[in-house]
Amino acid sequence: MIKTRQKLGKYRIERRLGHGGFATVYQALDTIEGVRVALKVPHADVMREEELEDFKREVRLAAKLDHPNILPLKNATFIDGHFVITFALGEKTLAERLQKRVSVRTALDYAEQMLEGVAYAHRHRIIHCDVKPENLILFPGNRLRLTDFGISKLAMRTVRASGSGTVGYVAPEQAMGKPSFKSDVFSIGLVLYRMLAGHLPEWPYEWPPMGHQRLLSRTHPDLVDFLRKALEVDPRKRYADADQMLAALRRIKRRVLRQAGNSTGTKRQRDTTKNRDWKTVRRRQFQKQYGKLLHTHHHCKHCDGPVSEAMQACPWCGKPRRKHHGGTRFPAQCPRCERGLKLDWIYCPWCFGAGFEPMSNRHFSDVRYDARCANPRCTRKDLMPFMRYCPWCRTKVRRKWKIPGTSEKCQSCGWGVLSAFWRYCPWCAKTQAER
C-alpha cells in the first residue's frame, strides 16, 4: 500500500484520486519539475506477467494517440518495484462535475470534445471500451480529455476479455464479449443522456428511459432523436463510429443552441413559473436551511428531490434507496450499496453486509466523527451521523440520530425528521401520516 507523503523516485504522494479493480491513481508532486501529476500504479496482486503486458499495452496505446481531447502520457517506468504511469493532472473528472447542473450549451461542448477524442482513437482502429464520466478529465478552460485505455482493444484483433468495461456504461453487445466502434457510440450516448436528463438509462434500455420528460423540456427534438439513435440496443441501427456520430451532432448543433439561447432569453419568465411551483419553492427553502447540514448534495433518481448519501429512502417521494447513485466524497465505495467508505473501515456503516479487508491499516481521523459506538469491545468506536452500523465492529447503532436544530422525530424509528418539508422518513420510509 502506497501511503501519503511516501516518495516514489522523484514523486511525493499527496493523496489518492481513485481506486479501480486493477490500479490506483494518486496525486503526486514532481519534486524536480515542481508540478503536480497523476500517477497510475497497478495493484501488487495483479502484477503477474500477463497483467503487466496489459499495462504496457496501455502505455503504448496512450503514447500512440496525440490529440487535444486525449490525456497525454508523460512517462512510464518502474520505481521501487512499482510500475508507474504518469499523466498530466486535471482539475476534476466529469463524474464530479455532474454533481452540479450542466447547461445544454456546456453539455454540447463536452459531447463534441468527447466525440472528437473517441473519433481520433477510432481512426487509429482503437476501441476504448470504457467511456464513462470517471474517465473524462476536465482541465482549465473546460478542456475535456479522455483517459484510461487500459481495456481498449485494437479493432482488428481478437477480443481476449469478454465483458470488459464498467457496468452502467457498457453496450449490450460489449457485455456479451463483442465490442465494436458502435459500443463506444452507445457509451457516449449514455454519458450525454445523463448530462441532459439527470438520469442514467438502465437495462433493458427501453425507450423512453427515465428522465425523458426532463430531456424533452430542456432541449431540441433533434437532439432527442440523436440520442435515441445512439442508444439503440441493436448496434446495426446506431451510428457506425464516433466520426459519424460527431458529424450528426454538428448538423443539429446550431438548431439546438438556438433553442437553448431562446430559453435563456426567457429566463425571467421561467423563474416566475418556477416560483409558482410550490414543490420547487419548498425544496429550495429546504436546501437553504438544511442542505449543508445534512449534505443533501445528491438527487433522487425518481423525483429529483435533494437527498443525502446516508438516506435509506427519498424523503420527498418515499422510494427506497438501497443503492446510492451520484458518486461520493469518500475515498472508496461499498460494492453493495455504493455509499462512501473510509480506507480503514472494516464494515460498511450504511448497509448490513459481510466485511472486507480495509485498504489501509492507518487510522484516519475525521471531523465528521461525533459519536461513539456503544459496544464495549469495539476497538475504535468512532461514528459519523446517521450511520446504521459501526464500521469497526458491525454492531447495530442504537442511537436515535437527531437533526440539529429540531426535536422532531419519526414515531416509527425515532430518528430525526423535518415534517415541514418531508412527506416520508428518509431513514425508515414511513409516511408522516403513519408516524
Side-chain angles (χ1 to χ4, degrees):
M1 174 64 68
I2 297 174
K3 300 178 180 179
T4 304
R5 294 187 294 277
Q6 179 178 336
K7 288 196 69 176
L8 285 178
K10 66 175 181 175
Y11 303 112
R12 185 169 63 242
I13 304 298
E14 294 186 332
R15 66 188 181 101
R16 193 176 74 164
L17 297 175
H19 182 82
F22 295 98
T24 302
V25 181
Y26 301 92
Q27 175 182 306
L29 176 67
D30 185 325
T31 57
I32 295 178
E33 296 183 21
V35 297
R36 286 180 168 82
V37 296
L39 302 182
K40 184 172 184 178
V41 183
H43 304 322
D45 58 346
V46 300
M47 284 303 293
R48 297 184 296 271
E49 187 61 32
E50 185 178 2
E51 284 74 16
L52 181 58
E53 286 303 313
D54 287 340
F55 280 99
K56 288 180 179 178
R57 181 169 58 86
E58 176 182 350
V59 170
R60 290 192 288 269
L61 286 175
K64 181 180 179 181
L65 301 175
D66 182 13
H67 190 274
N69 297 116
I70 294 178
L71 188 64
L73 173 73
K74 289 177 67 71
N75 188 31
T77 186
F78 283 93
I79 305 176
D80 299 336
H82 298 281
F83 184 53
V84 180
I85 309 172
T86 309
F87 296 96
L89 181 67
E91 294 181 330
K92 64 179 74 173
T93 66
L94 182 61
E96 293 170 314
R97 174 64 181 86
L98 291 183
Q99 292 182 11
K100 297 181 180 179
R101 183 183 175 89
V102 177
S103 69
V104 173
R105 184 176 296 273
T106 301
L108 281 182
D109 179 39
Y110 289 161
E112 193 167 7
Q113 292 189 65
M114 195 189 324
L115 281 166
E116 286 178 350
V118 177
Y120 181 83
H122 285 184
R123 288 194 291 272
H124 284 75
R125 313 302 296 166
I126 294 171
I127 310 170
H128 188 277
C129 289
D130 202 17
V131 179
K132 60 179 180 178
E134 290 80 3
N135 283 340
L136 291 155
I137 314 298
L138 282 166
F139 285 79
N142 259 7
R143 170 70 65 186
L144 197 69
R145 289 176 170 172
L146 179 64
T147 185
D148 201 352
F149 284 82
I151 59 171
S152 60
K153 309 198 172 49
L154 294 176
M156 304 305 293
R157 295 186 182 177
T158 302
V159 176
R160 181 171 58 84
S162 300
S164 294
T166 298
V167 175
Y169 292 94
V170 173
E173 72 280 1
Q174 182 180 332
M176 296 170 63
K178 299 178 180 179
S180 68
F181 295 139
K182 296 179 181 181
S183 305
D184 283 347
V185 165
F186 191 88
S187 298
I188 294 168
L190 289 173
V191 174
L192 184 53
Y193 189 96
R194 180 183 169 188
M195 277 196 285
L196 292 167
H199 293 281
L200 179 64
E202 298 176 352
W203 177 261
Y205 301 115
E206 295 175 350
W207 193 270
M210 188 177 296
H212 185 253
Q213 288 302 316
R214 183 184 180 192
L215 180 68
L216 290 174
S217 67
R218 290 194 69 195
T219 190
H220 195 282
D222 286 352
L223 186 56
V224 179
D225 293 340
F226 167 83
L227 288 173
R228 183 169 186 175
K229 183 172 181 178
L231 295 175
E232 285 283 357
V233 174
D234 185 349
R236 294 172 296 180
K237 297 179 181 179
R238 286 182 223 144
Y239 300 104
D241 54 25
D243 258 322
Q244 190 181 98
M245 189 178 180
L246 178 60
L249 179 65
R250 286 172 172 165
R251 283 195 298 270
I252 66 173
K253 182 178 178 181
R254 183 174 297 179
R255 292 193 293 274
V256 176
L257 288 177
R258 187 183 300 124
Q259 176 174 312
N262 291 338
S263 299
T264 303
T266 58
K267 184 176 184 300
R268 182 174 298 177
Q269 180 180 348
R270 292 203 326 272
D271 285 346
T272 301
T273 303
K274 281 184 178 181
N275 286 334
R276 296 193 190 108
D277 182 349
W278 65 272
K279 286 185 178 179
T280 302
V281 173
R282 187 172 62 151
R283 290 175 183 180
R284 188 180 299 163
Q285 184 181 357
F286 165 79
Q287 284 291 75
K288 186 176 180 179
Q289 288 183 236
Y290 295 99
K292 187 174 181 180
L293 179 68
L294 295 176
H295 304 288
T296 49
H297 309 303
H298 308 280
H299 295 274
C300 171
K301 62 183 294 187
H302 297 280
C303 71
D304 208 37
V307 294
S308 74
E309 198 171 333
M311 289 179 177
Q312 300 296 311
C314 173
W316 311 98
C317 68
K319 293 290 185 181
R321 299 186 70 250
R322 294 182 181 88
K323 282 193 174 184
H324 169 67
H325 300 275
T328 179
R329 294 185 178 183
F330 286 87
Q333 284 180 281
C334 172
R336 296 175 296 269
C337 68
E338 298 182 10
R339 290 175 171 85
L341 301 174
K342 289 184 72 67
L343 302 182
D344 52 345
W345 289 353
I346 303 171
Y347 301 97
C348 174
W350 320 112
C351 68
F352 190 80
F356 34 76
E357 189 71 24
M359 286 174 277
S360 174
N361 294 324
R362 175 186 170 191
H363 283 189
F364 294 93
S365 60
D366 198 303
V367 296
R368 290 169 291 185
Y369 290 132
D370 68 353
R372 305 284 285 173
C373 175
N375 181 4
R377 297 182 180 179
C378 183
T379 59
R380 180 76 180 269
K381 296 184 178 294
D382 294 323
L383 299 177
M384 292 182 186
F386 305 110
M387 281 184 169
R388 300 174 66 212
Y389 306 96
C390 175
W392 318 105
C393 67
R394 204 189 185 196
T395 300
K396 185 175 179 62
V397 176
R398 300 189 181 279
R399 180 189 179 105
K400 306 298 182 183
W401 295 105
K402 307 300 180 187
I403 297 175
T406 177
S407 59
E408 281 191 277
K409 62 181 180 180
C410 171
Q411 293 183 3
S412 177
C413 69
W415 287 28
V417 293
L418 296 167
S419 58
F421 297 101
W422 297 340
R423 289 187 59 198
Y424 302 88
C425 172
W427 321 114
C428 69
K430 298 295 184 181
T431 63
Q432 298 296 301
E434 292 176 351
R435 292 187 302 138

